[in-house]
């Protein structure tokens, strides 16, 4: 269906192409998530007219942002968990793609308030929100880049070729590495270890879970980026080899980049401006990222854990800079880098246990199996 949409898109006259794409997106949501289709349509109209002023009054920006946040939190509050089976109930409690288009709305409102956006109409804003490649799992593209492509995009054979390559690359991650290799072959082998070596099996479950999450999430991002390229749009990268990061701060600069860049630009700067404290801003930013995923104790704890880890890294880095501490021997640096990468990626993988397991006792049981029970 993706290539059918692309083919029809380029067959349509230029003036109708993006209208066609927006209508297809609306139809897609209406079929798979009617609640989301209604919510996104209503929010698009309301936010546009609330923000349709230059300069934009503060009360209008706060009203628009407050409405968007209230609706997202309302749905997240009534949602017991995203672990439930897909269907009408889950669609009602957490509309498809809402977490992503909430950030798009907030980004737009902030840019509108700052007065940095070019003149545009409701049609342009509708097309931005109803952009099919990113509607479900992002990346969270920004309005200025989208609007620029909306005006100047054209058929480009090299972009079509790169887009097809990117889609193929993404599906290879999802289908071959994620679904077949990890969920199929390796998971079945690890399952057999639980009877003979529970600690090793639990550890490998954590590793495979972290790898599969990356392959699936980054794979879908690759597909979305490639799909957008086929339509003449360039959207931001979402991953940059995050599991090779040498510290937790670098990891968060390279993981889910479209979300973390928004959080740095707006959440971190807001908390820092209010507190004048770097560590409070770091902690607040990571808690925001946690509850953005799900309004629950496990994601709150997960965000707080990453907040504390990032604060510790920032403090250590500041101490190192003040005292000029560094490994200057070029022979030792590769060993230091490998050690730092292993520590960082294992911290990340082990932290995923907090959001993967249903209860806090289950989380402790996994950690206990890996670190404690095997030698008692």
């Amino acid at each position: 269906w993706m290539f059918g949409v692309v083919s029809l898109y380029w067959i349509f006259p230029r003036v109708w192409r993006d209208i066609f794409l927006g209508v297809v997106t609306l139809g897609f949501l209406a079929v798979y998530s009617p609640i989301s289709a209604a919510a996104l349509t209503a929010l698009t109209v309301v936010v546009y007219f609330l923000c349709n002023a230059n300069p934009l009054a503060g009360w209008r920006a706060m009203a628009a942002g407050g409405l968007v946040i209230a609706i997202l939190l309302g749905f997240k509050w009534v949602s017991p968990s995203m672990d439930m089976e897909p269907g009408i109930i889950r669609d009602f409690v957490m509309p498809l793609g809402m977490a992503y288009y909430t950030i798009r709305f907030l980004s737009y409102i902030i840019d509108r308030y700052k007065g940095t956006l070019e003149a545009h109409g409701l049609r342009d804003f509708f097309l931005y929100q109803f952009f099919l490649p990113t509607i479900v799992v992002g990346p969270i593209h920004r309005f200025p880049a989208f609007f620029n492509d909306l005006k100047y995009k054209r058929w480009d054979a090299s972009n079509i070729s790169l887009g097809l390559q990117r889609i193929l690359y993404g599906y290879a991650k999802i289908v071959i590495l994620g679904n077949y290799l990890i969920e199929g072959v390796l998971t079945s082998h690890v399952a057999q270890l639980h009877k003979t070596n529970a600690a090793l099996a639990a550890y490998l479950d954590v590793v495979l879970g972290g790898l599969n999450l990356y392959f699936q999430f980054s794979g879908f991002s690759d597909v979305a980026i490639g799909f957008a390229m086929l339509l003449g749009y360039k959207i931001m990268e979402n991953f940059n080899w995050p599991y090779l990061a040498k510290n937790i701060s670098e990891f968060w600069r390279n993981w889910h980049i479209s979300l973390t860049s928004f959080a740095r630009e707006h959440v971190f700067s807001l908390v820092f401006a209010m507190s004048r404290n770097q560590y409070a801003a770091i902690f607040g930013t990571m808690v925001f990222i946690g509850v953005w995923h799900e309004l629950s104790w496990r994601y709150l704890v997960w965000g707080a854990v990453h907040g504390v880890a990032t604060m510790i890294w920032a403090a250590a880095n500041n101490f190192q800079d003040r005292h000029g501490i560094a490994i200057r021997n070029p022979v030792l640096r590769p060993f230091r880098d490998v050690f730092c990468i292993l520590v960082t990626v294992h911290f990340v993988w082990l932290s995923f246990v907090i959001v993967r397991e249903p209860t806090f006792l289950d989380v402790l049981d996994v950690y206990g199996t890996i670190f404690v029970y095997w030698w008692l």
Side-chain angles (χ1 to χ4, degrees):
W1 66 267
M2 183 191 305
F3 298 112
V5 169
V6 172
S7 299
L8 290 174
Y9 175 84
W10 288 110
I11 289 173
F12 271 95
R14 181 182 179 88
V15 69
W16 290 106
R17 285 173 189 163
D18 292 290
I19 293 294
F20 161 73
L21 186 63
V23 171
V24 169
T25 307
L26 178 57
F28 170 82
L29 284 179
V31 170
Y32 291 99
S33 180
I35 299 291
S36 190
L40 182 54
T41 301
L43 281 172
T44 299
V45 174
V46 172
V47 169
Y48 176 79
F49 284 107
L50 272 174
C51 296
N52 189 24
N54 191 20
L56 179 61
W59 71 267
R60 283 176 169 265
M62 292 183 65
L67 175 65
V68 171
I69 293 172
I71 291 176
L72 176 67
L73 291 179
F75 277 108
K76 283 184 174 289
W77 184 262
V78 300
S79 172
S81 173
M82 289 307 290
D83 291 335
M84 66 178 69
E85 292 298 319
I88 296 175
I89 295 177
R90 196 178 82 171
D91 178 47
F92 176 78
V93 297
M94 197 62 246
L96 182 66
M98 175 170 275
Y100 294 94
Y101 57 72
T102 294
I103 298 295
R104 292 203 299 273
F105 277 120
L106 294 177
S107 176
Y108 174 83
I109 293 166
I110 293 169
D111 287 341
R112 225 17 174 140
Y113 181 69
K114 292 179 177 178
T116 59
L117 300 183
E118 296 182 51
H120 60 277
L122 177 59
R123 170 187 174 275
D124 305 316
F125 188 49
F126 171 86
L127 296 176
Y128 166 62
Q129 289 295 350
F130 286 84
F131 186 60
L132 186 58
T134 61
I135 198 69
V136 178
V137 294
I140 306 167
H141 58 294
R142 309 292 179 88
F143 183 80
F146 174 86
F147 189 51
N148 186 69
D149 286 339
L150 179 65
K151 293 186 296 181
Y152 301 115
K153 69 180 182 304
R154 59 184 177 83
W155 172 272
D156 187 325
S158 62
N159 271 348
I160 299 296
S161 176
L162 290 173
L164 291 173
Q165 291 178 38
R166 196 62 181 269
I167 291 171
L168 181 62
Y169 181 45
Y171 276 121
K173 282 183 181 178
I174 297 166
V175 178
I176 300 175
L177 297 179
N179 295 346
Y180 173 72
L181 181 61
I182 293 182
E183 292 186 357
V185 177
L186 296 179
T187 298
S188 64
H189 285 300
V190 172
Q192 299 174 11
L193 279 176
H194 279 278
K195 297 178 182 179
T196 57
N197 194 332
L200 178 59
Y203 167 72
L204 292 176
D205 280 337
V206 168
V207 173
L208 293 180
L211 289 173
N212 192 41
L213 177 61
Y214 170 72
F215 289 141
Q216 298 287 344
F217 195 6
S218 66
F220 279 114
S221 292
D222 289 331
V223 172
I225 292 169
F227 188 8
M229 292 177 72
L230 297 184
L231 299 170
Y233 290 86
K234 183 178 181 180
I235 54 179
M236 69 187 305
E237 295 293 336
N238 219 16
F239 294 89
N240 183 26
W241 301 98
Y243 287 164
L244 297 181
K246 301 182 187 69
N247 57 71
I248 193 62
S249 181
E250 183 181 341
F251 169 81
W252 280 109
R253 289 195 299 272
N254 297 334
W255 175 276
H256 204 345
I257 298 169
S258 60
L259 172 64
T260 56
S261 61
F262 172 88
R264 281 196 306 272
E265 291 171 21
H266 302 301
V267 180
F268 179 91
S269 60
L270 176 63
V271 177
F272 184 77
M274 296 173 62
S275 65
R276 297 297 175 184
N277 187 298
Q278 175 191 11
Y279 303 111
I282 290 172
F283 187 78
T285 302
M286 296 313 304
V287 168
F288 164 80
I289 290 174
V291 298
W292 175 85
H293 285 84
E294 183 180 292
L295 192 60
S296 63
W297 71 265
R298 56 183 185 172
Y299 275 94
L300 178 63
V301 172
W302 177 73
V305 166
H306 277 268
V308 171
T310 310
M311 289 163 59
I312 292 172
W313 161 251
N317 197 43
N318 291 338
F319 179 84
Q320 178 178 296
D321 289 342
R322 284 196 305 269
H323 294 84
I325 301 172
I327 295 177
R328 295 180 173 83
N329 189 327
V331 177
L332 296 179
R333 285 176 185 170
F335 296 98
R336 176 205 60 186
D337 292 345
V338 170
F339 174 77
C340 291
I341 290 171
L342 289 175
V343 170
T344 302
V345 76
H346 277 83
F347 170 80
V348 171
W349 287 342
L350 289 166
S351 75
F352 286 148
V353 175
I354 299 171
V355 297
R356 188 186 68 186
E357 298 298 324
T359 68
F360 187 60
L361 290 178
D362 291 320
V363 172
L364 292 179
D365 184 61
V366 172
Y367 291 151
T369 301
I370 296 174
F371 296 109
V372 181
Y373 304 152
W374 61 273
W375 59 270
L376 292 179

